[in-house]
Amino acid sequence: MQLDPEMFDPVCPSGALPFRIGDKWTAMIVLCLENGPARFTELRVPLKRISPKVLTETLKAMERDGLVTRTAFDENPPRVEYELTALGRSLLALIGAVREWSSAHLADLLAHRERSPLSHRPGESRLAAP
Amino acid sequence: MQLDPEMFDPVCPSGALPFRIGDKWTAMIVLCLENGPARFTELRVPLKRISPKVLTETLKAMERDGLVTRTAFDENPPRVEYELTALGRSLLALIGAVREWSSAHLADLLAHRERSPLSHRPGESRLAAP
DNA sequence: CGGAATCCTCTTCGATACTG
DNA sequence: CAGTATCGAAGAGGATTCCG
């Protein structure tokens, strides 16, 4: 599994989306695993700015919920692979639906926000990007 | 517009959903407005536990993003109505998709979480219900 | 009635450093 | 390589009180 380091647009306004799949990273991880298992460090590549702590937490939560499986190989150096379960795979359709909504309506939402005289504080950006 | 005070199941595990539409209340507000405009206080009924501060914030954010319109009538006592825009209405299909996913898979996710030996800490519940 | 103003807590996220 | 351990900042969400 080779993951494209550029698979996520760094200026993608997904942070402004009125949706979240799980926490901040879950949807992206599901997408990363769509075409097969990946290793911890491989996931860190397209997820450029994720810290190991947060990646660990997110993967553990996903494993706990039955979205991914974790397989540790007894080798040296160690190797661990994460793979989508059927349940995790079932999220793909929904993520697709969110993406379709976004391509159809997100620009509209963003334009409206831009023009709005309403204060952006407090709360500033709700789900805004960093 | 009469809103059913019981329209949201108080023990609904929606807090455990791996999705969020906007912030915690946005999706419920969209649902509340599905069949026509409603007043501030009317919204507080089905949204039982929401504080006025949070409802105000959420509605302002939604207005800013073009999801709802706010109409203040110059009467006494004052009356304000919130209504879905076309953009806000476009969320209904997505909310429907999330609901379908939930009825098909949420029990599975919850059961897996229940059986999982993985610690629920730290982070405890990600998107857990109150 | 429809908020605004305050104050506070809990969770999320991140940076950094270290380890089997 | 695949994490763990700490620390810290920020924001969402809530409780309560007050106001035109």
Side-chain angles (χ1 to χ4, degrees):
Chain A
M1 267 301 299
Q2 280 292 73
L3 294 173
D4 178 8
E6 305 306 325
M7 75 183 282
F8 297 115
D9 181 353
V11 295
C12 170
S14 64
L17 268 182
F19 316 97
R20 292 274 298 262
I21 311 287
D23 56 27
K24 183 172 180 179
W25 303 97
T26 300
M28 280 185 274
I29 292 176
V30 169
L31 253 12
C32 285
L33 298 177
E34 179 171 8
N35 299 311
R39 305 173 61 168
F40 189 87
T41 305
E42 283 175 342
L43 289 171
R44 296 188 65 181
V45 177
L47 270 25
K48 287 189 257 294
R49 319 204 108 283
I50 198 170
S51 72
K53 178 196 138 197
V54 173
L55 181 54
T56 301
E57 282 175 7
T58 306
L59 287 169
K60 268 198 179 138
M62 292 175 73
E63 190 189 353
R64 204 183 68 213
D65 289 351
L67 303 179
V68 299
T69 55
R70 177 184 183 278
T71 310
F73 298 89
D74 192 8
E75 301 174 358
N76 197 307
R79 184 163 60 100
V80 177
E81 282 192 349
Y82 293 91
E83 186 167 16
L84 283 183
T85 62
L87 185 58
R89 213 163 271 291
S90 75
L91 293 179
L92 285 167
L94 216 32
I95 295 173
V98 170
R99 289 177 140 184
E100 276 182 47
W101 186 95
S102 303
S103 70
H105 303 294
L106 184 54
D108 192 1
L109 184 152
L110 256 16
H112 205 286
R113 179 181 296 187
E114 211 56 38
R115 287 193 307 267
S116 173
L118 269 43
S119 167
H120 283 216
R121 278 140 290 106
E124 178 55 28
S125 55
R126 289 207 299 163
L127 297 174
Chain B
M1 268 300 303
Q2 281 292 73
L3 293 174
D4 177 8
E6 305 305 326
M7 75 182 282
F8 297 115
D9 181 354
V11 295
C12 170
S14 64
L17 269 182
F19 316 96
R20 294 275 299 262
I21 310 286
D23 55 28
K24 183 173 181 179
W25 303 98
T26 300
M28 281 184 275
I29 292 176
V30 170
L31 254 12
C32 286
L33 299 177
E34 180 171 8
N35 299 311
R39 304 172 62 167
F40 190 88
T41 305
E42 284 174 342
L43 288 171
R44 297 188 65 180
V45 178
L47 268 26
K48 286 189 260 293
R49 318 204 109 282
I50 199 171
S51 71
K53 178 198 139 197
V54 173
L55 181 53
T56 301
E57 283 175 5
T58 306
L59 287 170
K60 266 198 181 143
M62 292 175 73
E63 191 189 354
R64 205 182 66 214
D65 289 351
L67 303 179
V68 299
T69 55
R70 177 183 183 278
T71 309
F73 299 88
D74 193 8
E75 303 173 356
N76 197 308
R79 184 164 60 100
V80 177
E81 281 192 351
Y82 293 90
E83 185 167 17
L84 284 183
T85 62
L87 185 59
R89 215 163 268 291
S90 75
L91 292 180
L92 285 166
L94 216 33
I95 294 175
V98 169
R99 288 178 139 184
E100 275 183 46
W101 186 95
S102 302
S103 70
H105 303 294
L106 185 55
D108 191 1
L109 184 152
L110 256 16
H112 204 286
R113 180 181 297 188
E114 212 55 38
R115 288 192 308 268
S116 174
L118 269 42
S119 167
H120 282 219
R121 278 141 293 108
E124 180 55 30
S125 55
R126 289 204 300 162
L127 296 175

